[in-house]
Amino acid sequence: LLATLLLLVCAAAGAQAEDAYLINPGDVLQVFVWNEEALSREVLVQPDGDLRFPMVGRVKAGGSTADAVEARIVEGLGTYLKDKPVVTVSLLRIDGNKIYVLGNVMRPGEYIVNRRIDVMQALALAGGLNSFAAENDIVVLRRGDSATSNAIRFKYASVKQGNALESNIVLRGGDTVVVP
């Protein structure tokens, strides 16, 4: 019984970590340093995924959680402040969490999304497919850590019939859905 309970707790923690929002370039963060008003400020995550913070310098933020950014700032400030700093990082604007829907849809374009959405939901945001769309040739382009892109196939016709549901992936910031 104890082993089962421990397994459930670990699974729940893993699910929460998987659901944590990952910061994107273009997001705006509020950094609050307790008892150090001069250090508390809004910061913009730069296109390279870093932010600049006084006394710390460059802080890797892109692809990280707010908790991870907090820890990096605490570590950087710790070398300059007498007491261990208490830092809170909050997301003010998620302007960097953009997806793109291109091709044979009613409203192609860039969409800022404030929650996790899958391919079907992105297509709905774009007004759905137009009559020229090739339903089974849709591709999601996703940039990896390097400059290369991965192409993930999506078969709209199959998903709308309740098949191939595993292809209806959750999109990440920067993903591009191409509807030929």
Side-chain angles (χ1 to χ4, degrees), residues 8-144:
L8 288 173
V9 168
C10 289
Q16 285 178 342
E18 188 176 300
D19 287 341
Y21 178 76
L22 299 180
I23 296 167
N24 293 297
D27 288 347
V28 178
L29 308 177
Q30 172 68 49
V31 181
F32 174 78
V33 182
W34 186 77
N35 225 11
E36 296 290 338
E37 264 185 54
L39 292 175
S40 297
R41 64 195 59 223
E42 291 180 15
V43 291
L44 173 68
V45 180
Q46 302 296 316
D48 64 0
D50 290 348
L51 59 87
R52 307 273 190 267
F53 200 77
M55 298 172 30
V56 178
R58 292 173 62 131
V59 177
K60 179 179 173 8
S64 302
T65 63
D67 290 342
V69 174
E70 272 179 23
R72 291 179 188 125
I73 293 173
V74 165
E75 181 182 340
L77 289 176
T79 59
Y80 297 103
L81 301 177
K82 184 173 102 177
D83 297 324
K84 181 179 177 184
V86 176
V87 176
T88 303
V89 174
S90 306
L91 283 155
L92 281 183
R93 292 194 318 267
I94 56 170
D95 295 343
N97 198 30
K98 297 177 184 176
I99 60 160
Y100 306 87
V101 184
L102 305 174
N104 288 312
V105 293
M106 302 307 271
R107 292 185 307 272
E110 171 186 89
Y111 294 91
I112 296 174
V113 292
N114 61 2
R115 58 183 169 78
R116 295 182 183 275
I117 67 167
D118 57 36
V119 180
M120 291 292 281
Q121 292 167 330
L123 293 172
L125 278 174
L129 305 182
N130 68 27
S131 58
F132 301 106
E135 290 185 341
N136 282 328
D137 294 330
I138 297 171
V139 176
V140 176
L141 300 178
R142 176 172 288 165
R143 253 192 220 290

Side-chain angles (χ1 to χ4, degrees), residues 1-15:
L1 181 64
L2 182 59
T4 303
L5 182 60
L6 183 60
L7 186 62
L8 288 173
V9 168
C10 289

